[in-house]
Amino acid sequence: HFDAHADLRDDYLGVKLSHACVLRRCHELVGDGHIWQFGIRSGDREEFLWGKEHVFTRKFDFQGLDETVKKLAGKPVYLTLDLDVLDPSVFPGTGTPEAGGVTFMELWNALRLATRCKIVGMDMNELSPAYDASGSSTATACKLLRELLLFVGGK
C-alpha cells in the first residue's frame, strides 16, 4: 500500500465503508502481518496506535521495501497505489494533498521493485484532474500507469 494516508480508521464520520477505512477492512480479511504500507504521513492517533499492532507502516518513504519484497517472494500480492503518496509539488491533482511526499523517481523505483512480487491485482487512485489545470498530474498518472503495466507485464 503506497499512500499518504494510513486508511486504518475503524470508521470515518460514522461510516465503516469509507476511503479512510479501506485498509482496516482489508485487515479484517487478511489478518496481522499481511499489510505493508509505505509513504504514510497522515492519520489520526487511533490509526497509528492500532496500526503498530497489526500492520507494517513506513512513514514518508520506501525504506524497507526491498526486505518486504524478499519476504513476499512467490506469494500473491495485491498492490494499491494512491497517487497522493507523491509530494503535492509533484502531484497537485489530488483531493487529499499531504506535504512531505516522495518524488516521481522515488515512486517509480519503488514500483519497479514492488512489481518483482507475484502481483495478482492492483489499483491506482487519487487522481483528481480538476485540481490541476496544467494537466501535469494527469500526465504523471498516465506515465506511472504505463510503467506499472510494463513492469508487471514484462515478467
Side-chain angles (χ1 to χ4, degrees):
H1 175 223
F2 296 171
D3 195 347
H5 306 90
D7 294 347
L8 293 172
R9 295 175 188 226
D10 189 42
D11 71 82
Y12 182 65
L13 302 175
V15 178
K16 286 194 171 270
L17 296 178
S18 164
H19 69 285
C21 309
V22 68
L23 269 289
R24 183 78 163 251
R25 301 292 80 84
C26 289
H27 177 269
E28 291 169 358
L29 297 172
V30 301
D32 287 352
H34 293 96
I35 295 175
W36 288 266
Q37 303 183 300
F38 294 88
I40 306 300
R41 55 194 187 279
S42 181
D44 69 16
R45 179 177 169 80
E46 185 272 334
E47 284 179 278
F48 289 125
L49 289 173
W50 184 88
K52 277 185 180 183
E53 301 295 320
H54 303 285
V55 302
F56 171 87
T57 300
R58 177 66 194 178
K59 294 182 181 176
F60 293 98
D61 60 30
F62 298 107
Q63 190 172 1
L65 180 59
D66 49 346
E67 291 90 5
T68 301
V69 169
K70 288 173 187 169
K71 283 182 194 176
L72 297 174
K75 297 176 183 171
V77 172
Y78 187 93
L79 175 64
T80 180
L81 168 60
D82 283 22
L83 292 165
D84 59 16
V85 73
L86 290 162
D87 191 80
S89 65
V90 176
F91 195 83
T94 183
T96 53
E98 292 287 342
V102 301
T103 68
F104 176 86
M105 287 309 300
E106 288 170 329
L107 178 55
W108 186 87
N109 285 320
L111 290 171
R112 185 174 52 138
L113 180 58
T115 55
R116 291 181 185 164
C117 292
K118 181 181 171 184
I119 303 294
V120 296
M122 60 185 169
D123 66 74
M124 175 189 286
N125 53 74
E126 294 294 337
L127 169 65
S128 184
Y131 289 121
D132 182 8
S134 75
S136 65
S137 295
T138 300
T140 299
C142 290
K143 175 70 173 176
L144 286 167
L145 180 58
R146 177 185 180 272
E147 296 299 310
L148 189 55
L149 292 171
L150 289 171
F151 292 150
V152 171
K155 292 182 184 177

